[in-house]
Amino acid sequence: MSLQVGLSAVIVAVVDGEPHVLATRSTGPLGLDGLPFGAFDPEGHRTFEIGLRDWVQAQTGFELGYVEQLYTFGDRGRELPTARLDNVSDQSRIISVGYLGLTPEATEIGGKFDAVWRDWYRYFPWEDHRDGKPDCVASDLAKALKDWSDNAPSNNESIDRWTRASLAFGLDEHPWIEERVLERYELLYEAQIVPESWRDRGKDYPFGLGERVTGVQMRSDHRRILATGMSRIRGKIKYRPVVFELMATTFTLSALQEAVEGILGLQLHKQNFRRALEKARFVEGTGQMEPATGGRPAELFRFRREILAEKAALGVQTPRRK
Amino acid sequence: MSLQVGLSAVIVAVVDGEPHVLATRSTGPLGLDGLPFGAFDPEGHRTFEIGLRDWVQAQTGFELGYVEQLYTFGDRGRELPTARLDNVSDQSRIISVGYLGLTPEATEIGGKFDAVWRDWYRYFPWEDHRDGKPDCVASDLAKALKDWSDNAPSNNESIDRWTRASLAFGLDEHPWIEERVLERYELLYEAQIVPESWRDRGKDYPFGLGERVTGVQMRSDHRRILATGMSRIRGKIKYRPVVFELMATTFTLSALQEAVEGILGLQLHKQNFRRALEKARFVEGTGQMEPATGGRPAELFRFRREILAEKAALGVQTPRRK
DNA sequence: CATATTATACTCAGATTGAGCAAAAGGGGT
DNA sequence: ACCCCTTTTGCTCAATCTGAGTATAATATG
């Protein structure tokens, strides 16, 4: 039997401190959002990455900068029977190679590719802890997960479910671990709290929980791929200076901090964040000032790209506030 | 055009502090070592991981424990024209999904699958820095890389080459960064120091450097996949407690340290290594003793698997000695 | 019973981290 | 001009962690 291979892309940009992803809009019968997705053409492209760049370029008009492979999804169980993916016949498609791309600017999208930038918390409202634990976690999801645990077939299973849920979502005194985005989404999928769980089995979604709680669903397994991308970037930001791929050539330290905070969904301690930046020698001041801060003008900084080569080149530290 | 998808596995075990990988022995006309490799059968297996487990089980008789996806290789440029891969016709093969598997014991291999455990430094002699920088790096490879830099077409290119080489291999005062295994291998490939570079272009290997310096080659791009696996495990060991997947249920702290040292190719500071283990509460003593240490008997410890769930569950810290 | 060998315990200075306070430099209104 | 608000930037301090070294304990060996 033959397989077709698709490429899917999680393309991230930060707009005013809010992380956005490039999403394809509401096509097909179900009218769901999706990620940019295209077939990989082994004739035309020597590598996946070249294929991806070409195809994003052709369809959205902008050039990808930083790109890394995320994961290869080959799980037949997760397929959406009703999905119609461009250029890929459902019969043979099994595999999609996910990529993460980071761009410094959310260029407006033109061309035939009907894509828009969307706040990524639209799909994952429970992931934004910048103003403390959001209500949707603290009450609605906690309750739904509790129900799921209580309705387990055995007592052991019940305990196991609640242990996993409370660890993943930072309930019952457990700390919130921001990079476990995928783990949380998969738990919600397993607990059938998220509409995809029902849709993939051809059933109607029975819950009363709205998008405010469960987030906006995506077609096929795209929300899972997005979760993988978010996990990756949240983890990587701590040990590789990848944030700078999301910034313009110059930026204020506050803007940089807001970008990191947006990605992590957490607030950071300003003074310590800056101290860590200085110690790692990631940035250097340009004499210029940015006056429109609303207070004292801020100096504009630039990323010292040389540091990527120098020594260990660790990531940005993320000292939690409070 | 259709593609075939193969699964390749980097399966690691530590024998007496020496990391080993499962290799397939010298089949085919060239008589090269390779990694276990099999076609992915989308009909028979719902996921890659299930497929991999099944097929390793069937061919070697043992059960994989910890498994994670490494990377998907789809690079046509790296293909070996003369390779003959079992069950996969060369015509259509482009993609292979690499997996990393960790097992606590190097079970002897039986069955039709002609596999052996091999010290992984056999393929990467320059990666073992447990007794300081090895000669093959300090002299032979440094010289070969210097030649490659000097023979660059332009002066800029020459500087760029040497910068990359000295950074990757820790020359000229740069520190050795153990997890950059893949980067180093790819540099040697690019610099045509490694036999694969010539073989893949259908030429004979012209150098006088022996296997003591360039390591033992593998068929197709398997040495690159192995390098990817080594990079992954060397990086991950620091932020996830994966070493324990390589240990039996009980072990002495020295054996644990030797395993980590073997993986990283570095020596660690014993006291500080233990202090870090204690602080993270990764292990707990069983009252039992291991008498055959050659000196004072050592207590046998066990991994506290609960910690995987608890809090952040960081990795083992790796305080360098000297 | 001394010696070699390995395991384990303890100490200490320097660096790093978490947290908070204080001053500086703008804008806007009165 | 002056006060108030806001944001940037500079500085301090205690608690903890890290790197490195020293000392002692428990075996086997000759």
Side-chain angles (χ1 to χ4, degrees):
Chain A
M1 185 208 176
S2 86
L3 297 176
Q4 291 211 21
V5 173
L7 297 171
S8 32
V10 176
I11 301 173
V12 179
V14 173
V15 186
D16 294 329
E18 296 298 324
H20 284 64
V21 284
L22 199 57
T24 58
R25 202 166 20 193
S26 314
T27 52
L30 286 164
L32 297 179
D33 286 9
L35 293 174
F37 184 92
F40 172 63
D41 165 27
E43 309 269 271
H45 295 115
R46 207 170 49 78
T47 70
F48 291 140
E49 206 180 297
I50 295 172
L52 180 80
R53 286 177 190 280
D54 254 37
W55 143 122
V56 170
Q57 163 88 34
Q59 299 195 299
T60 72
F62 81 75
E63 215 143 316
L64 284 179
Y66 179 92
V67 161
E68 74 174 62
Q69 193 185 99
L70 270 181
Y71 198 81
T72 298
F73 303 85
D75 190 338
R76 195 166 53 208
R78 283 291 163 76
E79 263 185 274
L80 170 61
T82 51
R84 300 219 54 79
L85 302 163
D86 311 324
N87 306 325
V88 176
S89 74
D90 282 311
Q91 299 298 28
S92 61
R93 175 193 159 266
I94 301 237
I95 287 170
S96 103
V97 183
Y99 272 82
L100 173 67
L102 306 180
T103 57
E105 27 181 4
T107 326
E108 260 328 294
I109 310 306
K112 58 179 171 177
F113 197 72
D114 195 17
V116 281
W117 290 104
R118 288 273 157 89
D119 182 335
W120 78 14
Y121 293 116
R122 170 191 178 85
Y123 307 106
F124 295 94
W126 60 84
E127 292 293 343
D128 187 358
H129 286 225
R130 282 174 293 179
D131 300 314
K133 192 180 297 248
D135 286 345
C136 66
V137 179
S139 59
D140 309 75
L141 289 181
K143 198 170 301 165
L145 289 164
K146 191 74 185 146
D147 285 350
W148 174 63
S149 304
D150 291 344
N151 291 327
S154 74
N155 193 43
N156 273 350
E157 172 68 9
S158 184
I159 289 169
D160 178 66
R161 284 185 181 180
W162 183 247
T163 306
R164 288 194 289 142
S166 57
L167 281 164
F169 284 88
L171 307 171
D172 290 353
E173 305 293 293
H174 291 292
W176 172 260
I177 312 225
E178 67 278 3
E179 65 263 35
R180 303 203 176 158
V181 184
L182 179 61
E183 199 177 319
R184 284 186 280 271
Y185 176 73
E186 301 216 305
L187 200 65
L188 294 181
Y189 187 97
E190 183 184 343
Q192 303 183 355
I193 290 171
V194 118
E196 283 93 328
S197 324
W198 300 82
R199 181 200 66 190
D200 292 359
R201 295 176 308 143
K203 301 195 179 173
D204 282 338
Y205 183 58
F207 279 102
L209 298 174
E211 290 186 335
R212 191 187 57 80
V213 176
T214 65
V216 171
Q217 74 170 302
M218 295 179 110
R219 62 186 195 199
S220 187
D221 58 351
H222 290 193
R223 196 143 66 133
R224 189 163 151 243
I225 300 176
L226 176 53
T228 308
M230 290 172 64
S231 288
R232 175 72 60 88
I233 192 175
R234 281 185 170 184
K236 198 152 192 173
I237 210 172
K238 290 176 204 155
Y239 63 92
R240 280 291 136 96
V242 283
V243 222
F244 300 102
E245 308 295 341
L246 295 165
M247 308 301 292
T249 42
T250 65
F251 46 82
T252 66
L253 297 185
S254 293
L256 181 64
Q257 183 175 344
E258 276 161 27
V260 176
E261 290 178 331
I263 297 289
L264 293 181
L266 287 177
Q267 287 207 311
L268 304 179
H269 187 285
K270 187 186 286 204
Q271 285 72 20
N272 294 344
F273 177 75
R274 291 177 179 213
R275 179 172 59 188
L277 278 178
E278 290 225 329
K279 196 196 49 170
R281 304 198 304 141
F282 279 142
V283 294
E284 75 189 350
T286 71
Q288 302 171 67
M289 291 297 184
E290 163 63 54
T293 61
R296 173 173 169 173
E299 188 170 4
L300 286 165
F301 286 77
R302 109 161 27 95
F303 176 44
R304 296 185 59 236
R305 220 160 248 287
E306 318 90 86
I307 209 76
L308 281 175
E310 271 180 49
K311 55 179 164 187
L314 295 160
V316 179
Q317 279 185 269
T318 56
R320 279 181 167 73
R321 184 170 85 180
K322 179 119 187 290
Chain B
M1 184 209 177
S2 85
L3 297 175
Q4 290 209 22
V5 174
L7 296 171
S8 30
V10 176
I11 300 173
V12 179
V14 173
V15 185
D16 293 330
E18 296 298 324
H20 284 64
V21 284
L22 197 57
T24 57
R25 201 168 21 193
S26 315
T27 51
L30 286 163
L32 297 179
D33 286 8
L35 293 175
F37 184 92
F40 171 63
D41 166 27
E43 309 269 270
H45 295 116
R46 207 169 49 78
T47 70
F48 291 140
E49 207 181 296
I50 295 172
L52 179 81
R53 286 178 189 279
D54 253 39
W55 142 122
V56 170
Q57 162 88 34
Q59 298 195 298
T60 72
F62 81 77
E63 214 142 317
L64 285 180
Y66 180 92
V67 161
E68 73 175 62
Q69 190 182 303
L70 269 180
Y71 198 81
T72 298
F73 302 86
D75 190 337
R76 195 165 55 209
R78 284 290 164 74
E79 264 185 272
L80 170 61
T82 50
R84 299 219 53 78
L85 301 163
D86 312 322
N87 308 324
V88 177
S89 76
D90 282 310
Q91 300 295 31
S92 61
R93 175 194 160 266
I94 302 235
I95 287 170
S96 100
V97 183
Y99 272 81
L100 173 66
L102 307 179
T103 55
E105 29 181 2
T107 325
E108 261 327 294
I109 310 305
K112 58 181 171 176
F113 196 72
D114 196 15
V116 280
W117 290 104
R118 287 273 157 88
D119 183 335
W120 80 14
Y121 292 114
R122 169 190 179 90
Y123 307 106
F124 294 95
W126 58 87
E127 292 293 342
D128 187 358
H129 286 227
R130 282 174 293 181
D131 300 314
K133 192 180 297 250
D135 285 345
C136 65
V137 179
S139 60
D140 309 75
L141 289 181
K143 198 171 299 162
L145 288 164
K146 190 76 186 143
D147 284 351
W148 173 63
S149 305
D150 291 343
N151 291 329
S154 74
N155 194 41
N156 274 349
E157 171 68 9
S158 183
I159 289 169
D160 178 65
R161 283 184 182 181
W162 184 247
T163 306
R164 288 195 289 144
S166 57
L167 280 165
F169 284 87
L171 307 170
D172 290 353
E173 304 294 291
H174 291 292
W176 173 260
I177 312 224
E178 68 278 4
E179 65 262 35
R180 303 205 176 155
V181 183
L182 180 61
E183 198 176 321
R184 285 187 280 271
Y185 176 72
E186 300 215 307
L187 200 66
L188 294 181
Y189 188 97
E190 183 184 344
Q192 303 181 357
I193 290 170
V194 116
E196 283 94 326
S197 326
W198 299 83
R199 180 201 67 188
D200 292 357
R201 296 176 307 141
K203 301 194 178 174
D204 281 338
Y205 183 59
F207 279 102
L209 297 175
E211 290 185 335
R212 193 188 55 80
V213 176
T214 65
V216 171
Q217 74 171 302
M218 295 178 108
R219 62 186 193 196
S220 186
D221 58 351
H222 289 194
R223 196 144 63 135
R224 189 161 151 246
I225 299 176
L226 177 52
T228 308
M230 289 172 65
S231 288
R232 174 73 59 89
I233 191 174
R234 281 186 171 184
K236 197 150 190 173
I237 210 171
K238 290 175 202 153
Y239 63 92
R240 281 292 137 98
V242 282
V243 221
F244 300 102
E245 308 295 341
L246 295 164
M247 308 300 293
T249 41
T250 65
F251 45 83
T252 67
L253 297 184
S254 292
L256 181 64
Q257 182 175 345
E258 276 161 27
V260 175
E261 290 179 332
I263 297 288
L264 295 180
L266 287 177
Q267 287 206 311
L268 304 179
H269 188 285
K270 187 186 286 205
Q271 286 73 18
N272 294 344
F273 176 75
R274 290 176 180 214
R275 179 172 59 187
L277 277 179
E278 290 225 330
K279 195 195 50 167
R281 305 198 304 141
F282 279 142
V283 293
E284 73 188 354
T286 71
Q288 302 172 67
M289 291 294 183
E290 163 64 55
T293 62
R296 172 174 169 175
E299 188 171 3
L300 285 166
F301 286 77
R302 108 161 28 94
F303 176 43
R304 295 185 59 239
R305 220 161 248 286
E306 318 89 87
I307 210 75
L308 281 176
E310 271 180 50
K311 55 179 164 189
L314 295 160
V316 179
Q317 277 185 267
T318 56
R320 280 182 166 74
R321 185 170 84 181
K322 181 127 189 284

